[in-house]
Amino acid sequence: DTVIRFFYKGSSRLKTQSDQNDAELIRAVHNSDENAFQILFLRYYKSLYAFIWTRTRSADLSRDLIQEVFTRFWEHRRKIDPDQGCKSYLFRIADRLLIDHYRKQSSKKTVLHNLRSRTGAAASDPDLQITLRDAISNLPDPVRRVFLLSRYQGYNYREIAKIEHISIKTVESRMTKALKKL
């Protein structure tokens, strides 16, 4: 995996510390020791990936969520109790991120359903059609392109990401912005 290979580059010190237990590594991470952080990353990456992938069935989403797990771990490193261990802490973060992800997906589906209903109504109401067209034309260019590719040309997020040369997360973000503004 690319992420793991990145952490192994030039990591001679990592190999000497990898025999440390989690409590020792967390104490080092408290002091902003990036090598200790990398060891914990390498130690838990595969199990977190498996945990998230079994719930999402998406390699890209799994990697994105793992990145967020470790970002939050680093941001809150001084609050982590070394004696509690970090495995349960990391999996708790992952679980919360999954819940948040599915909540957002659920609300997006509701918004999309409402927008589709309104768009259907717009087809029969000329005034509403003009209002919708004006609202779409007032969206920022990147947001408008993503919206039009999705809603009017029928591309899925992965296809839009390839067309626009952006990540799927960026597509999701731009669609969210478009739907909020509309």
Side-chain angles (χ1 to χ4, degrees), residues 58-144:
S58 167
D60 291 336
L61 180 58
S62 297
R63 283 190 290 269
D64 288 346
L65 289 176
I66 289 171
Q67 181 177 345
E68 184 62 26
V69 166
F70 281 99
T71 299
R72 289 186 185 189
F73 179 79
W74 181 258
E75 289 170 351
H76 300 285
R77 65 188 174 276
R78 290 185 176 88
K79 297 176 185 176
I80 302 168
D81 181 2
D83 298 322
Q84 296 293 322
C86 72
K87 184 176 183 176
S88 63
Y89 185 77
L90 291 169
F91 279 83
R92 219 172 320 126
I93 294 171
D95 193 48
R96 289 180 184 150
L97 288 172
L98 283 164
I99 291 168
D100 289 346
H101 171 75
Y102 285 117
R103 255 191 217 130
K104 287 177 189 173
Q105 292 300 105
S106 175
S107 67
K108 280 182 190 175
K109 287 178 184 173
T110 303
V111 169
L112 291 175
H113 174 73
N114 291 341
L115 182 62
R116 284 185 183 131
S117 298
R118 289 183 192 141
T119 306
S124 62
D125 183 349
D127 292 333
L128 192 54
Q129 212 171 31
I130 292 168
T131 303
L132 182 60
R133 191 176 330 119
D134 288 343
I136 292 170
S137 68
N138 287 328
L139 292 172
D141 286 339
V143 174
R144 183 177 58 246

Side-chain angles (χ1 to χ4, degrees), residues 37-49:
F37 176 75
Q38 289 176 352
I39 291 167
L40 288 171
F41 177 89
L42 293 170
R43 190 172 285 176
Y44 291 106
Y45 180 86
K46 287 183 180 178
S47 57
L48 279 167
Y49 182 88

Side-chain angles (χ1 to χ4, degrees), residues 155-178:
Y155 289 104
N156 65 38
Y157 286 7
R158 184 175 305 273
E159 293 167 331
I160 295 169
K162 285 182 183 177
I163 291 168
E164 291 288 309
H165 304 289
I166 55 177
S167 72
I168 294 173
K169 282 288 205 190
T170 303
V171 173
E172 291 174 358
S173 172
R174 289 180 183 175
M175 279 301 295
T176 300
K177 287 177 186 175

